[in-house]
Amino acid sequence: MGSSPKHINHELGPMRCPVTLDDVDLFGPGAQEHWYEMYEILHREAPVLRLPGGGITPGSDAFVLTKHADVAMVVKDPERFPTLTQTRISGHANAGLSAEDTWQKYRSLMQASMVSLRPTQELYIKHRKELTDPWVGTGAIRHREMITRHANDLLDEWIDDGQVEFISRFARPLPQRVMASILGFPLEDIPQLAEWGDAVVTPFVHGHNHRHEITPEQTQRMLARLEGFQDYIYEHVRAKRAEPQDDMVSFLCEVHYEALDRKLTDLEIAGIVHAMILGGLETTQYALEEQAQLLCERPGMFEQLRVDRGKVRAFTEEGLRMRSPTHGLSTRMTARDEVFQGVEVPAGSLLHLRFGAANVDAEEFDCPFDLDLDREGLTRHVAFSTGPRVCPGANLSRVEQQIAWGVLLDRLETIEYGEGNDWLHQPGIMLGTRKLHLRFTKAAAPMHLGTGRSQHTT
């Protein structure tokens, strides 16, 4: 069996390597450097970890679930394990708050939008099928040529250099350009959109403990950074209503939402756009950079994929499983008393779902730290969650990853680690190193086996 990922500079972080269960602190400074070692300990000694006093209400507890079977069961049953967001939205609706009332009181575009768009589980499913699936779900394949063009344009900027800081020059700008193109926003606005996107994810990067809490000062800074975001979306909504284009915002302006038998309001559209920016950038960025590391650590695999492009999908799925972009979220609670792995969990308890741990559970995946291109059931992982509330943009991210590697495999002959890496990760619940320097050799002639330039050059 393979071992969990460790790097030569693994010890540079502020947390020491965990040895016993008492050493496990999933949320402390530097925990990201040791998550996988912690998962081995938790799977063995505490697959359901109680966090005393960590619940939603005073005196209640939270529980960390690390087993694949438990996490999959929870996310597939939103009635038995309701989401915190759904509970909040139902509370707003039951209190008689309108979408505008919710926005004014809570300053959350997504919550305000959801008050009128999806107050029930049935409407959530209809919302996804009618409003987002055509663009980032089942319809994501329509963007193949656009994604390929952006990937090639990015490579053009550095392919003659022999080395690249992969995150800032490819893994991050690719999903930024793709999402801007899908929404219909100008590419020159990406720096401002990136600033707003960074602000939106503040709780998940700089938040404290399993609830991703931020201080009042952090909240004020976040809101200040988001100044102008709503106005920017409204400006584009007005423009698209007047002159529709072939983009998602135009579609949302024009679509008749059958679930509610009407068109969407500007605030509802703004909430959906907010969700797209929140979920459409981070996951793909971290997936691509971690997959690049997996290739650097496995001599011969890059060449294997160059020759056999039929394995690219398996590689990206295994990459998502082994190095899950989102490692954990406290998004569910128990509607009734439950028992997980013999541990009694009372009704009303907060559940922290540890997707990263579930995806390397040896009871679900044989040799979980081996990258197995022939593994059966490649999509059994929960990197995007699963069930009725699976990530709406999961298909888009998968398409982006597969096309990106198709282009990279076409135009590069080798990749390896460059100089200057320390593999230290950013804080928060996303698995992503701060930088990734690569050396590469440019292909003498593109292989043109994947989704590279040759298919779209006139």
Side-chain angles (χ1 to χ4, degrees):
M1 178 183 293
S3 61
S4 58
K6 300 178 180 68
H7 288 296
I8 190 170
N9 291 335
H10 190 73
E11 70 279 3
L12 289 182
M15 182 180 290
R16 71 186 182 92
C17 188
V19 177
T20 69
L21 183 59
D22 290 338
D23 299 327
V24 171
D25 179 3
L26 293 170
F27 312 102
Q32 296 78 12
E33 315 308 330
H34 303 288
W35 275 342
Y36 286 99
E37 293 148 323
M38 294 181 193
Y39 297 159
E40 291 178 330
I41 295 171
L42 289 173
H43 284 156
R44 182 174 64 247
E45 301 182 35
V48 180
L49 180 68
R50 182 189 299 268
L51 302 178
I56 304 166
T57 58
S60 66
D61 299 334
F63 295 82
V64 179
L65 305 184
T66 61
K67 299 294 286 182
H68 183 279
D70 293 337
V71 172
M73 177 181 68
V74 168
V75 297
K76 290 176 181 178
D77 195 340
E79 301 299 327
R80 187 171 159 192
F81 305 101
T83 70
L84 297 187
T85 300
Q86 187 60 50
T87 302
R88 293 191 192 104
I89 298 308
S90 298
H92 300 337
N94 293 337
L97 296 180
S98 66
E100 288 291 346
D101 294 335
T102 303
W103 163 244
Q104 292 301 324
K105 185 172 183 178
Y106 297 100
R107 310 306 291 177
S108 169
L109 285 172
M110 280 198 297
Q111 286 192 38
S113 173
M114 290 170 64
V115 164
S116 54
L117 283 182
R118 26 184 184 174
T120 66
Q121 179 62 27
E122 180 184 5
L123 276 187
Y124 178 88
I125 296 172
K126 290 183 177 180
H127 170 278
R128 193 178 71 236
K129 288 183 177 179
E130 292 187 36
L131 304 182
T132 60
D133 270 2
W135 292 88
V136 298
T138 53
I141 196 66
R142 67 190 288 181
H143 308 304
R144 176 175 292 275
E145 291 192 18
M146 176 266 287
I147 297 169
T148 302
R149 183 178 69 253
H150 285 315
N152 275 307
D153 288 345
L154 288 167
L155 257 75
D156 286 343
E157 296 175 3
W158 47 263
I159 194 166
D160 293 321
D161 297 343
Q163 57 186 354
V164 65
E165 199 291 294
F166 187 71
I167 297 173
S168 63
R169 304 294 300 278
F170 190 82
R172 181 167 177 79
L174 178 61
Q176 288 176 336
R177 294 186 183 191
V178 168
M179 186 53 65
S181 298
I182 289 174
L183 292 172
F185 296 157
L187 295 186
E188 55 265 30
D189 291 351
I190 284 179
Q192 179 60 74
L193 292 168
E195 172 68 19
W196 285 325
D198 287 343
V200 167
V201 299
T202 295
F204 303 105
V205 178
H206 301 291
H208 308 287
N209 64 45
H210 60 287
R211 292 194 297 266
H212 321 300
E213 295 173 332
I214 57 177
T215 66
E217 293 76 19
Q218 288 175 307
T219 300
Q220 288 302 314
R221 288 196 297 270
M222 180 181 72
L223 293 176
R225 292 175 66 191
L226 286 170
E227 189 70 32
F229 182 37
Q230 184 185 27
D231 291 339
Y232 177 88
I233 298 174
Y234 282 176
E235 176 185 341
H236 280 275
V237 167
R238 288 192 294 269
K240 305 294 186 183
R241 288 197 192 278
E243 295 185 42
Q245 307 293 321
D246 183 21
D247 56 56
M248 187 173 181
V249 174
S250 296
F251 167 80
L252 293 172
C253 289
E254 294 291 312
V255 69
H256 185 87
Y257 186 28
E258 295 296 335
L260 297 178
D261 193 26
R262 62 170 174 80
K263 290 191 174 183
L264 303 179
T265 67
D266 289 2
L267 180 57
E268 290 165 348
I269 294 171
I272 296 171
V273 171
H274 182 280
M276 292 299 100
I277 292 176
L278 173 63
L281 304 180
E282 306 291 314
T283 299
T284 303
Q285 169 189 331
Y286 298 132
L288 289 172
E289 68 101 352
E290 289 294 328
Q291 288 160 8
Q293 292 189 48
L294 288 170
L295 288 171
C296 289
E297 294 162 7
R298 287 160 176 76
M301 183 162 286
F302 191 81
E303 177 61 23
Q304 180 183 354
L305 295 176
R306 291 192 84 218
V307 173
D308 186 358
R309 300 304 175 85
K311 295 294 187 182
V312 170
R313 174 178 173 272
F315 167 70
T316 57
E317 294 295 340
E318 277 286 84
L320 285 165
R321 181 189 66 78
M322 294 177 66
R323 306 281 178 89
S324 304
T326 303
H327 265 243
L329 290 172
S330 299
T331 55
R332 300 287 181 126
M333 58 186 297
T334 53
R336 66 190 194 197
D337 292 346
E338 299 284 352
V339 177
F340 295 99
Q341 306 293 325
V343 176
E344 295 183 358
V345 177
S349 296
L350 178 63
L351 300 178
H352 179 81
L353 307 181
R354 205 68 190 180
F355 304 112
N359 285 336
V360 291
D361 180 359
E363 290 189 2
E364 181 67 23
F365 302 100
D366 291 337
C367 302
F369 295 109
D370 287 352
L371 198 163
D372 184 357
L373 298 181
D374 296 313
R375 188 181 297 276
E376 294 184 4
L378 282 165
T379 59
R380 284 181 294 129
H381 65 75
V382 288
F384 294 111
S385 188
T386 189
R389 287 184 176 267
V390 66
C391 173
N395 278 11
L396 174 63
S397 184
R398 284 183 159 108
V399 170
E400 285 183 81
Q401 292 170 51
Q402 292 172 32
I403 291 176
W405 285 112
V407 171
L408 290 162
L409 291 162
D410 277 356
R411 302 186 64 189
L412 304 181
E413 190 166 312
T414 64
I415 65 169
E416 61 182 345
Y417 285 135
E419 299 296 326
N421 292 311
D422 57 23
W423 291 284
L424 291 177
H425 294 79
Q426 70 165 34
I429 49 82
M430 306 294 289
L431 182 72
T433 51
R434 297 178 183 272
K435 57 187 176 182
L436 180 60
H437 294 283
L438 300 178
R439 284 198 303 264
F440 60 86
T441 54
K442 176 182 175 181
M447 294 186 70
H448 305 324
L449 296 177
T451 53
R453 179 175 302 285
S454 62
Q455 298 182 1
H456 304 289
T457 301
T458 56

